[in-house]
Amino acid sequence: MDSLASTSLSSLPDLWDAVFGSQPDPALWVVIATMVAALAVVVPHSVWRISRNAITIAHEGGHGLVALLTGRTLTGIRLHSDTSGLTVSRGKPYGLGMMLTAAAGYTAPPLLGLGGAALLAAGHITALLWLATALLVSMLVMIRNVYGALTVLLTAGTFLAVSWLTGPQVQAAFAYAAVWFLLLGGVRPAFELQAKRSRGGARDSDADQLARLTNVPAGLWLFLFHAVSLCSLMGGGRWLLEM
């Protein structure tokens, strides 16, 4: 299969197999190269200021998805050019649903990366790309500002173009790079939040909101964010590197 565009849409079994079937693992050097590429857009601060937008999409998407799953009414998501974001939902301002919604932001990128690593380990490269596209398109409906809409639309378009127009080698490299980015990029925001709080800033962060909701110190919620991101990186990285 050179690309999904070359698959006859009149043959639904062939299309189903092309999307949800398994694809061969890329060579180990491709996996390592994509890891290095992900590090190159996560570690340098100048590049991270741009690439962090993708982590913000996952962060706010996590808030929104869990809000819906816990029965809250999602009213809108905003993404800003400074890589901050805001997800607004209606419902009780306390209780398990509100707590899970608040906790979902910092944990969403690494957990999405872990889930992506599981799909790649099972050989479902194209399915991962289509699932990511579907999630982004679903999120687009709830975006309430122009910058956010453009950012999500561009990201979804990139995933769709790669999954539809490119061959298995390019798809594999892109999928592995995206998952490495979520795993590695999911670690940095919690450390950034910790640094801001140590300087007396970010007192309305997710960790502080959780502290007010649960009477558990914000520092312990930060520890949870660190634990989830680092464990996801270790587990997901192991899956990706096991060829």
Side-chain angles (χ1 to χ4, degrees):
M1 181 187 69
D2 292 332
S3 69
L4 284 179
S6 64
T7 302
S8 173
L9 294 180
S10 63
S11 179
L12 291 179
D14 288 344
L15 180 61
W16 178 270
D17 183 65
V19 175
F20 297 103
S22 61
Q23 292 80 41
D25 293 330
L28 179 59
W29 72 266
V30 173
V31 178
I32 295 174
T34 55
M35 178 183 66
V36 173
L39 282 170
V41 297
V42 169
V43 175
H45 181 70
S46 59
V47 183
W48 174 244
R49 290 174 58 188
I50 300 172
S51 63
R52 197 185 194 281
N53 282 284
I55 296 296
T56 302
I57 292 174
H59 179 115
E60 300 302 331
H63 282 313
L65 178 59
V66 173
L68 291 173
L69 291 176
T70 55
R72 299 180 63 80
T73 300
L74 181 61
T75 58
I77 299 172
R78 301 177 69 88
L79 305 172
H80 305 130
S81 58
D82 63 354
T83 72
S84 65
L86 176 66
T87 299
V88 180
S89 62
R90 291 200 307 266
K92 292 190 299 183
Y94 56 88
L96 182 62
M98 185 64 195
M99 184 185 73
L100 292 175
T101 299
Y106 280 93
T107 57
L111 288 177
L112 285 171
L114 183 63
L119 283 174
L120 294 181
H124 297 302
I125 295 171
T126 305
L128 180 145
L129 297 175
W130 274 49
L131 178 60
T133 303
L135 290 173
L136 288 163
V137 171
S138 299
M139 183 178 178
L140 184 61
V141 178
M142 300 307 302
I143 299 294
R144 295 293 181 263
N145 66 321
V146 174
Y147 179 83
L150 290 174
T151 302
V152 174
L153 187 61
L154 178 63
T155 307
T158 302
F159 273 89
L160 180 60
V162 170
S163 63
W164 188 258
L165 300 175
T166 67
Q169 293 83 8
V170 175
Q171 287 186 17
F174 181 83
Y176 272 78
V179 169
W180 275 122
F181 174 73
L182 286 170
L183 291 170
L184 294 165
V187 172
R188 184 164 178 172
F191 283 100
E192 292 178 333
L193 176 57
Q194 183 176 355
K196 288 179 182 177
R197 295 189 78 260
S198 69
R199 297 191 295 267
R203 291 303 175 182
D204 197 35
S205 69
D206 293 352
D208 293 281
Q209 292 180 40
L210 284 163
R212 291 192 289 270
L213 286 167
T214 63
N215 292 320
V216 175
L220 288 180
W221 288 108
L222 262 174
F223 175 80
L224 173 67
F225 298 160
H226 284 309
V228 170
S229 62
L230 291 171
C231 288
S232 295
L233 174 58
M234 289 187 289
R238 180 178 179 181
W239 279 337
L240 295 177
L241 291 169
E242 282 183 348
M243 305 301 296

